[in-house]
Amino acid sequence: MAFTEQQYTEMSEKLQQVKEEIHRFIVGQEEAIDYTLYAVLADGHALLEGMPGLGKTMLIRTISEVLDLSFSRIQFTPDLMPADITGTSMIERTADGKQQFTFQPGPIFSQMVLADEINRATPKTQSALLEAMGEKTVTILGDTKKMAKPFFVLATQNPIEMEGTYPLPEAQMDRFLCKILVPYPTKQELMEIMKRTTGSIEIGLQKVMDAQELVQAQRMVKEVLVADEMLEYATELIVATHPEGDYAIDEVKQYALYGSGPRGLQSLIKLAKARALLNGRFHVSVADIKTVAKPVLRHRMLLNYEGEASGKTADDIIDIILEKVQQGTSK
């Protein structure tokens, strides 16, 4: 193991400080904060889904400030073009009167990119993110440029307002490490939000980590140990989502149209490792895998007509899978 137990402990304490600093500004949203941090530590992208005004954008901006990352926000609209995201080459006149192409980078060339209301842009514009999310490069007029390091796309979308939206294609949904649901705040949280936002006191955020420390944390996540038993358990969860597979449970066969692919298994292990590090451990437990199963799988399972007609959700099916698939047992 490249890192010592002491280094893991120190990094875990540092990450807990990051959480505490975020909570100084963000009220509640414990799960959303945790899963977003897991995605960042696992060097992946996250999709946050929730009603307007629940603080999705503010949460992402707060995390970028606490981690001292360069930040850019892209407001997705139907008239947004790919060049508005990636940038473009423009003709400029030099001092000697000649003309040359000069690249003007777009907002995607930041360490943390907020794709706000991503489903409001056309599929052509949405696809401008695919290469950056998958390969961490952008190709413009045959010239391939590398993204900043670290680099994350944190996207938001509204779950109910479908007019004027373009649902993300499955290939792009699969690029997100996890899909995080942002719920309504409780009564007590609402009261605290009002106290913090309508008063005269301003909360100044402290920069707890920087990009270099975050990159080290990402390397430590990769070094977290995964026992063969844990890997087998995670694999059994994935194959249980395949309705046509030999290991599918009855409810999956009845209600699911498609299940998760290999990227789902990769995401499950990556997020489980990140959770282990955040909790001060350098090995993955069953609890780590179970905890991250819903955000990893909910956007990778597609229900059939019977599932939708019966009011089932992907989370309902995942709950059943977690209940029926036990560690160390195969159907």
Side-chain angles (χ1 to χ4, degrees):
M1 191 164 57
F3 297 97
T4 65
E5 186 173 347
Q6 178 65 25
Q7 287 176 303
Y8 272 99
T9 302
E10 291 174 355
M11 182 58 73
S12 176
E13 291 173 353
K14 191 85 167 181
L15 292 170
Q16 291 300 327
Q17 292 175 24
V18 169
K19 280 187 61 176
E20 290 171 8
E21 189 65 22
I22 294 170
H23 274 299
R24 286 183 60 241
F25 193 77
I26 301 295
V27 179
Q29 304 297 1
E30 186 75 34
E31 283 194 359
I33 292 172
D34 281 346
Y35 292 133
T36 306
L37 285 177
Y38 298 160
V40 168
L41 289 171
D43 196 15
H45 316 289
L47 176 64
L48 285 78
E49 183 176 278
M51 298 295 291
L54 296 183
K56 301 183 296 296
T57 300
M58 188 57 67
L59 168 60
I60 295 169
R61 185 182 293 274
T62 300
I63 291 175
S64 72
E65 288 189 32
V66 175
L67 296 178
D68 196 17
L69 301 174
S70 60
F71 174 83
S72 64
R73 172 182 176 178
I74 307 171
Q75 186 65 50
F76 278 65
T77 57
D79 60 346
L80 191 73
M81 299 298 292
D84 297 328
I85 297 175
T86 61
T88 187
S89 293
M90 303 180 65
I91 298 177
E92 288 189 353
R93 191 176 296 277
T94 62
D96 57 1
K98 296 181 179 180
Q99 292 182 336
Q100 65 178 16
F101 280 103
T102 303
F103 177 68
Q104 298 294 328
I108 199 166
F109 288 94
S110 292
Q111 292 169 323
M112 185 168 285
V113 177
L114 166 58
D116 215 355
E117 294 189 284
I118 188 172
N119 57 335
R120 290 204 169 279
T122 61
K124 180 179 180 180
T125 302
Q126 291 174 5
S127 66
L129 289 173
L130 276 176
E131 182 186 355
M133 292 174 64
E135 311 301 328
K136 298 198 174 181
T137 59
V138 169
T139 303
I140 301 168
L141 298 176
D143 184 19
T144 300
K145 301 180 183 298
K146 291 186 177 181
M147 310 306 301
K149 190 174 182 179
F151 170 73
F152 315 100
V153 173
L154 301 180
T156 69
Q157 70 177 16
N158 185 333
I160 64 168
E161 192 175 357
M162 291 295 104
E163 185 176 349
T165 64
Y166 302 86
L168 295 178
E170 296 303 318
Q172 184 157 1
M173 288 288 284
D174 200 35
R175 301 281 174 146
F176 287 103
L177 214 60
C178 57
K179 179 180 178 181
I180 303 164
L181 302 184
V182 182
Y184 284 114
T186 63
K187 178 182 176 181
Q188 290 74 21
E189 289 170 352
L190 276 172
M191 293 176 66
E192 182 62 27
I193 290 171
M194 290 307 100
K195 290 177 183 177
R196 294 190 189 185
T197 58
T198 60
S200 59
I201 299 176
E202 293 187 6
I203 300 175
L205 289 169
Q206 303 293 321
K207 301 184 188 304
V208 180
M209 292 179 69
D210 57 26
Q212 186 175 356
E213 289 176 300
L214 179 57
V215 170
Q216 183 181 13
Q218 291 174 340
R219 289 200 296 264
M220 295 178 79
V221 166
K222 292 179 180 179
E223 295 287 339
V224 171
L225 302 175
V226 183
D228 290 342
E229 293 82 1
M230 296 299 100
L231 183 58
E232 183 177 2
Y233 174 60
T235 305
E236 288 176 354
L237 291 179
I238 297 299
V239 297
T241 68
H242 302 159
E244 303 298 330
D246 296 335
Y247 299 94
I249 62 175
D250 294 337
E251 288 80 1
V252 170
K253 293 178 180 179
Q254 183 177 359
Y255 298 120
L257 187 61
Y258 296 110
S260 172
R263 197 176 278 134
L265 179 57
Q266 292 171 340
S267 300
L268 195 62
I269 295 299
K270 286 179 179 179
L271 282 191
K273 285 185 171 187
R275 183 179 186 271
L277 175 61
L278 198 61
N279 286 278
R281 289 177 283 104
F282 44 90
H283 65 276
V284 169
S285 68
V286 174
D288 293 326
I289 295 174
K290 286 186 173 182
T291 300
V292 302
K294 281 187 181 180
V296 166
L297 298 177
R298 63 166 56 109
H299 62 299
R300 292 184 165 95
M301 289 194 66
L302 188 63
L303 301 187
N304 57 23
Y305 176 79
E306 184 178 354
E308 293 182 354
S310 61
K312 299 289 184 183
T313 65
D315 280 14
D316 294 333
I317 306 302
I318 296 167
D319 277 331
I320 297 172
I321 291 173
L322 289 172
E323 181 183 343
K324 291 194 173 183
V325 178
Q326 300 297 323
Q327 179 197 0
T329 63
S330 299
K331 186 175 177 181

